[in-house]
Amino acid sequence: GLLKAVISDFGLCRDFGTGKFNSSHSLIGSQGWMPKEILLKKKNLLTPTAMDIFAFGCIIHFVMSFKRSSGQSHPFGQDYARDQNIRIANRVTYLYENLVENSFKSQKHTSYGDTILADMLIDVCVSPDPKIRPKADEILSHPFFWSYAERKEYTCERFNSCKDYSKSKSPTPAPTTKLQSLWKDLCSGKEFHNDISEVWEYVELYSESLDRTTPDYWKSSIFNGIMRTIRNLSEHWTSAVSLHPPLDDLFGGCVDLEGNTDYDHEKMGRYFFEKIPQSFPIIYASFKKDKLAVQTLERILKPGEFNYS
């Protein structure tokens, strides 16, 4: 059956009868795992749920760090410096940076996109402001936990919302200039088209069918590049396969309820977001208008850092 992991802390547990409970007002916790409001004894900001979410963010980092014997296993660094870094809201370790170090070149870069999303989730969980930390249901709805099919669908929906920008009563604006600039910097000098050669052949054929030159806007606009291509393949699948049959080998093989051949939504999302792992985190942060998520991306993504082969 399906396995479910449950995180629980029995450090201060007591045995009570049914229907009874106990609460404590003492400031007790483990060094390096207590949020800023506890360390600074700001009792007016103490919220049990928010404090637990802080520790949960640290646990996510620990589980995914791959370096549990060093300071890189914790978002706030080495044991002796953690409390001080928490006090001044100085996160010193990021999963993505750990993963792209030379010592981790053996790790498949297919996990890079998930790692970036995990860093975005951890940042909001360990925020120095308890009011910013998400609730449990908000954590479960974070894109880190989405399937590739859900990420692809989000991309298509956001593209269509921008495409109909002028017609919508409550329009969704295009990606922010700041993140478009980040995308352009990441693509600088990188021929990542080689990583999606099968799809790029379709892009070239599609451009020729419209008497257009092969687009180079992928390197300057995430909206007009990868988002447009994913949306076009999703909504015009039959004509896309007719134009370039090899696409069926990549994404096809499914049959819908009416017996028609369809594409595999999960397979298509996996293809794009594993081949170009930074793309979905930037797409999500762009439309979410999440300042903290933008700051995380600016912190961990470096210009020109695109090809890991």
Side-chain angles (χ1 to χ4, degrees), residues 9 40 48 74 109 212 222:
D9 180 5
L40 297 182
H74 193 285
H109 75 267
R212 297 175 182 172
I222 193 171

Side-chain angles (χ1 to χ4, degrees), residues 45 47 50 127-135:
L45 294 178
T47 305
S127 169
D129 185 351
K131 296 179 181 178
I132 292 178
R133 295 175 207 148
K135 295 179 172 59

Side-chain angles (χ1 to χ4, degrees), residues 45-205:
L45 294 178
L46 296 183
T47 305
T49 300
M51 292 188 289
D52 288 340
I53 295 300
F54 176 90
F56 179 73
C58 295
I59 291 172
I60 296 175
H61 186 108
F62 177 83
V63 171
M64 296 186 64
S65 68
F66 304 110
K67 286 193 172 183
R68 299 172 188 173
S69 61
S70 72
Q72 291 179 324
S73 66
H74 193 285
F76 294 96
Q78 297 282 1
D79 293 353
Y80 64 85
R82 287 176 188 172
D83 281 355
Q84 178 57 23
N85 284 329
I86 292 171
R87 285 189 180 93
I88 61 176
N90 178 35
R91 182 180 175 186
V92 297
T93 307
Y94 286 81
L95 295 172
Y96 183 74
E97 292 177 337
N98 289 351
L99 199 59
V100 298
E101 286 179 351
N102 291 331
S103 59
F104 279 88
K105 287 297 182 182
S106 61
Q107 291 285 341
K108 293 181 179 180
H109 75 267
T110 53
S111 63
Y112 284 13
D114 284 338
T115 303
I116 296 169
L117 291 171
D119 271 328
M120 292 165 63
L121 174 58
I122 292 167
D123 259 353
V124 70
C125 286
V126 301
S127 169
D129 185 351
K131 296 179 181 178
I132 292 178
R133 295 175 207 148
K135 295 179 172 59
D137 57 343
E138 293 172 330
I139 290 177
L140 292 175
S141 65
H142 191 274
F144 172 69
F145 296 105
W146 293 1
S147 66
Y148 284 106
E150 289 173 318
R151 296 175 191 180
K152 181 201 72 70
E153 186 63 24
Y154 178 90
T155 299
C156 293
E157 289 176 354
R158 297 288 81 73
F159 179 88
N160 285 332
S161 68
C162 288
K163 184 173 178 290
D164 299 330
Y165 178 83
S166 60
K167 303 176 182 179
S168 176
K169 295 181 179 179
S170 56
T172 301
T176 62
T177 302
K178 181 178 291 187
L179 285 167
Q180 287 282 36
S181 177
L182 176 60
W183 174 260
K184 187 174 182 179
D185 288 341
L186 286 169
C187 298
S188 177
K190 297 295 181 182
E191 296 297 334
F192 63 86
H193 301 158
N194 296 331
D195 294 331
I196 54 168
S197 57
E198 304 92 343
V199 170
W200 193 248
E201 290 172 3
Y202 158 75
V203 172
E204 292 178 321
L205 289 171

Side-chain angles (χ1 to χ4, degrees), residues 272-290:
F272 281 101
F273 300 137
E274 286 189 351
K275 295 284 188 180
I276 310 176
Q278 298 91 336
S279 57
F280 184 76
I282 293 178
I283 290 170
Y284 177 77
S286 295
F287 290 95
K288 189 68 174 177
K289 300 296 182 182
D290 187 332

